[in-house]
Every structure is written in C-alpha cells, then in structure tokens.
Amino acid sequence: MATEVLTTIFHDTRRARKDGTFPVKLKITYNRERKYYPTKYSLSEEDFLKTQEPNPKKKYREIRISLNAIEQSAIEVIEKLPAFSFPEFERRFKNSVANDDVFAAFAHSAERLREAGQIRTAQSYDHASNSLLSFLNKAHTGRNKGMSLSEASSQREQLQRRKKPLPFSAVTPEFLQEYERWMLAGGKSITTVGIYLRNLRTLFNDAISNGDLHQDLYPFGKRKYQIPSGKNVKKALSMEEIGKIFDYGPRHEREARARDLWLFSYLCNGMNMKDIAKARYRQLAGDIITFVRSKTERATRQEQRKIVVTLVPEALQIIDRWGTKPTHPEAYIFPILRDGLSPEEEIKAINQAIKTINSYMKGIAQRLGIEKNVSTYAARHSFSTALKRGGVPTACISEYLGHSSEKTTQSYLDSFEDDTRRKHAALLTAFKSES
C-alpha cells in the first residue's frame, strides 16, 4: 500500500499570499491523481529552502520537524487503510490531525479524570487549559479587581469562543519560555507555573505513548525547556509553637473545632483533610486508625500501602468531642461529608472545610504571635519534622506519611510494631514535658 501512494511536503509557489509567502502543503499522489492538504505554515522560498538544509538553524529545524511529523502521520494513516481512497484517507487523516490539538487533549484528560473520581486533578487540568488559552489570547481569564462574577464569566466565554486548535508541534521550548514569563508577570507563583506545565508535559507523554506524536517534538528536558520548581519553603512549626496551639483557649465552638481538626491532622501522621473527611468508624480499632491515602489509592492500586496511626489520648479526645453521633461502622468519623454526594460535591465540601480551618488557624496564629503560615499543610509538615527532630529514622517517617517515593528504604521495611508506633507518637506531645 505504501509503495502505491506517494507523500511529500510541497511548497506551493503557484500563488503568493499578501505577505509574499507561499503555503506549505502535504501532497498525496495516487494513480497519477494529486491532492493537496494545508498545513499551518506559509514561508518565503528562502525560508523553505532553509528548512531543507542538512543542519538547519533552530527555528527552521523546528518547522521541519513539525512538517515531517505531519507527513509521518499521513503515512501511518495510509498504511492502515485496507484499500486506499482519497475520501477514506481524508476522513482518517482528519481524525489523526484532531489528536494533534493540545486543548482537545486537556479536555479529554479532564473528562477521564472526572470519570475516575479524581476531581481535583481534573480541575487542575481545566485551570491549566484556561491559562494557556489566556496566554494565546493575551488576556486574563481570572477575575480581576473590580470585575464582577458575571463579567469574569462573560470574559471566559468570549475566550472559549475564540479558541482555536493548538497543535502539539507549536509548543516549542521557546513557546514554553514565553508562556512561563507571561504567567510570572501575571502574578502566578512558581508552584502554579510548575503544576500547569507538568499537566501539559503529561499530555505530551500520553500523545507520544499513543503514537499520536513523534518523540522529536517533545519540548521538555535537558537542552530544551525545564519546568521550574518552587523553593522548598520550610512550613514546620517549632514544638513551642505547636504547644501554644494546644494550650490556646478557643473563643467559640467554630474556632475550637477548626483548631482541633488541625491538631488531629498533626497527631495522625499528618493525615490530610481529604483523608480525615473520608475516614469512617470502621477504620478505628481501639487506639489505632488505618487508612489508604486518597491521593494514591488509584495510582498504586496494585500495591496499596495502608497507613497505621496510633491515636494518642489527645486525638481520641478530638474524636469524642467532634465525632459523628451516634457512631456506627459506616458513619463518617467527622461530619464533613455525608453519604450520597457526587465526587464534585465531596471536593466542594472538603475544600470548604480546609478554607474554614485555614481561616480560623490564621487568626489563632496572629493572636499567639506565630508568624508562620499555619495551614492544614503545615500540620502535615510539622508532624514529619517533629519526628525527625526526635531522631526517628527517615524510613519510618516515610512509612508513616505513606510516601511511595522512598523505594530504597521501603523495599526492605516491614510494618512497625504497635509499641514502636506508640513510642514515636508520644514525641508529638513532647512539649508537655518541656513546660
């Protein structure tokens, strides 16, 4: 089949455009019949010749790689046809080209993530896609100062209507550098930039893995574009600061509940709020609670690592104060969620709980003279740091946190005995012995 059909990249110099350039097309020849299919490129004769040089300069090399990818995609379509015909080739080639749209890939991935219940990750993909669209339109989709919610929504709708396909081949290292500068100039943090670009990198990896994109078009890595990483800002509180939070006298019930849930996270292996919200009474057995991190339960389904937490008396008291009543095995321990919620509703409820806790904890920190950011994430970081200060081996801390990245240490570690866990858990309230 491939020997009967000829493909080539054709510079159509028969008619110049207004800017003096000529369109670059894909030419297909079959049984002496020729058909031409447009690409996004229009070049002068001099520029086209530069793309054909043995070692073209960077700009022209990227254009040639992109054009070669288009031709290769056509060849792959032709080879899969049982019998060649232009109509069938055009139908399949059109679908193949549709797979070369970054925005379509974002939407498809977000949809799959939602179907899998990974709502936060899906939302992250949506935010990354909207940011990229804003960059291409050189306008912000976010709600600017003085802009009402309806105005912000109208602005996003206008941008969506102006959305055009973005070929993977157009996302070059230079494109990414400019996009990064644009985000930083617009007030995005290095952390946010990293999240958006890692999502984009995942789309490239998926496209290459699926055979929809040639490896040569991959813009990430050494000597290409490297995703920035945020500085590792220390978020752990000192034992003195944690002691102040323990001893703090809440002004009202809402503040007391927020403070106690923060402390529960700290006392329970840095358990994050999603896992706290989803914990049920059946996971409790005396002074032990066992869970699998929601963040990793899908990614490591074959080797799910259960986290076993020894509940110190203070943690048990928090459950007694704020736990759902009456208790039964399938009831949520804390009344943050309720049965029957959709994944989207669950995330909304958890996010609201985090927002409420962080708001109250910020006020508590100010009243206690703690200048650090006392967020729910700080509780997790403080847990691991407290154990490290107490001399607990890194391998133990890794297991308590449920990290899967400590492969070297975890490969030869078994679960720790209950008395060892109790000893380590006692370190979390070491400030009492200091007072």
Side-chain angles (χ1 to χ4, degrees):
M1 178 62 63
T3 58
E4 299 175 359
V5 185
L6 300 178
T7 66
T8 187
I9 295 297
F10 176 70
H11 194 212
D12 191 352
T13 57
R14 294 173 294 184
R15 180 180 299 175
R17 291 182 173 175
K18 290 182 178 180
D19 61 359
T21 64
F22 300 90
V24 181
K25 301 178 180 179
L26 169 71
K27 181 172 73 172
I28 303 294
T29 305
Y30 177 65
N31 283 349
R32 298 184 180 181
E33 182 180 0
R34 301 181 185 88
K35 285 201 173 185
Y36 301 89
Y37 302 91
T39 71
K40 66 175 184 175
Y41 295 104
S42 185
L43 304 171
S44 67
E45 293 186 81
E46 180 183 0
D47 285 344
F48 182 76
L49 288 174
K50 288 180 179 178
T51 68
Q52 305 305 303
E53 292 176 355
N55 294 299
K57 293 183 179 179
K58 197 167 189 179
K59 170 186 174 182
Y60 302 106
R61 182 174 70 250
E62 290 173 354
I63 293 174
R64 186 168 76 179
I65 290 172
S66 180
L67 292 172
N68 287 345
I70 293 171
E71 184 178 11
Q72 183 60 36
S73 179
I75 292 171
E76 290 172 0
V77 169
I78 292 167
E79 289 177 341
K80 293 176 182 177
L81 289 174
F84 182 85
S85 70
F86 280 107
E88 183 61 18
F89 166 77
E90 289 164 5
R91 185 183 71 80
R92 296 196 185 191
F93 184 62
K94 182 179 180 181
N95 290 335
S96 175
V97 172
N99 291 335
D100 188 29
D101 178 18
V102 172
F103 291 119
F106 264 123
H108 178 66
S109 293
E111 182 180 358
R112 285 192 293 108
L113 289 165
R114 284 189 171 85
E115 290 174 352
Q118 296 175 266
I119 307 303
R120 281 185 176 175
T121 308
Q123 291 172 341
S124 174
Y125 273 62
D126 289 338
H127 295 326
S129 180
N130 289 335
S131 170
L132 191 57
L133 178 62
S134 299
F135 167 64
L136 292 175
N137 286 283
K138 294 295 185 288
H140 291 282
T141 55
R143 185 183 176 189
N144 298 324
K145 289 183 179 180
M147 181 182 291
S148 68
L149 286 172
S150 60
E151 288 172 334
S153 176
S154 174
Q155 185 187 64
R156 284 192 292 270
E157 289 175 1
Q158 290 175 15
L159 286 172
Q160 289 296 327
R161 285 195 294 270
R162 291 162 59 188
K163 182 190 291 185
K164 296 179 181 179
L166 173 63
F168 279 93
S169 57
V171 183
T172 63
E174 291 74 20
F175 177 98
L176 293 172
Q177 290 285 0
E178 185 180 352
Y179 178 40
E180 177 190 322
R181 287 193 292 269
W182 177 83
M183 281 194 284
L184 294 175
K188 291 289 189 292
S189 67
I190 286 291
T191 299
T192 299
V193 171
I195 290 171
Y196 289 177
L197 289 170
R198 281 191 291 274
N199 289 343
L200 180 58
R201 183 177 63 188
T202 297
L203 298 185
F204 268 88
N205 289 330
D206 289 344
I208 291 170
S209 177
N210 295 334
D212 295 328
L213 187 69
H214 195 278
Q215 178 68 43
D216 289 345
L217 293 175
Y218 192 66
F220 300 94
K222 292 182 178 179
R223 299 188 181 87
K224 293 185 180 181
Y225 174 79
Q226 295 187 350
I227 297 174
S229 57
K231 294 182 179 178
N232 185 20
V233 180
K234 298 297 183 182
K235 296 181 174 64
L237 275 66
S238 67
M239 296 305 292
E240 180 184 0
E241 291 166 332
I242 296 169
K244 287 181 179 180
I245 293 172
F246 263 93
D247 295 335
Y248 175 76
R251 298 176 302 165
H252 46 71
E253 186 176 276
R254 295 187 302 277
E255 188 178 66
R257 182 174 181 272
R259 189 277 308 266
D260 280 0
L261 286 175
W262 188 95
L263 288 174
F264 191 82
S265 171
Y266 166 74
L267 294 169
C268 296
N269 290 32
M271 195 174 184
N272 67 37
M273 283 309 303
K274 184 175 183 180
D275 293 324
I276 291 174
K278 299 187 79 169
R280 299 178 186 267
Y281 278 106
R282 58 176 160 78
Q283 295 168 237
L284 279 174
D287 66 346
I288 298 293
I289 184 171
T290 305
F291 68 99
V292 175
R293 292 186 69 195
S294 298
K295 183 177 180 179
T296 60
E297 63 182 355
R298 291 181 179 84
T300 58
R301 187 172 293 276
Q302 300 303 317
E303 297 180 5
Q304 288 186 353
R305 179 177 294 277
K306 289 185 177 180
I307 300 176
V308 181
V309 179
T310 295
L311 298 172
V312 295
E314 291 81 0
L316 291 169
Q317 291 165 10
I318 290 171
I319 293 177
D320 185 59
R321 276 197 296 272
W322 306 109
T324 303
K325 306 292 189 300
T327 65
H328 60 85
E330 292 305 314
Y332 288 112
I333 295 176
F334 297 106
I336 297 171
L337 301 176
R338 66 177 189 278
D339 289 322
L341 294 180
S342 67
E344 289 83 358
E345 290 170 332
E346 281 190 358
I347 290 298
K348 185 177 180 180
I350 293 168
N351 286 343
Q352 183 57 52
I354 293 172
K355 183 178 179 180
T356 299
I357 292 169
N358 287 345
S359 177
Y360 282 119
M361 289 304 298
K362 182 178 181 180
I364 290 172
Q366 289 174 344
R367 281 183 282 280
L368 292 174
I370 299 174
E371 297 181 356
K372 296 174 184 175
N373 178 19
V374 189
S375 65
T376 54
Y377 180 78
R380 178 172 174 82
H381 192 75
S382 297
F383 158 79
S384 58
T385 304
L387 294 191
K388 184 178 180 180
R389 289 168 180 156
V392 177
T394 301
C396 297
I397 299 173
S398 176
E399 179 167 323
Y400 293 154
L401 291 170
H403 285 163
S404 60
S405 59
E406 293 283 346
K407 295 179 181 178
T408 304
T409 54
Q410 290 184 355
S411 61
Y412 59 84
L413 286 174
D414 294 324
S415 296
F416 303 106
E417 297 298 328
D418 287 352
D419 58 346
T420 304
R421 284 198 299 270
R422 289 189 178 92
K423 179 181 177 182
H424 291 169
L427 292 171
L428 300 175
T429 53
F431 55 84
K432 287 190 172 184
S433 61
E434 298 173 2
S435 58

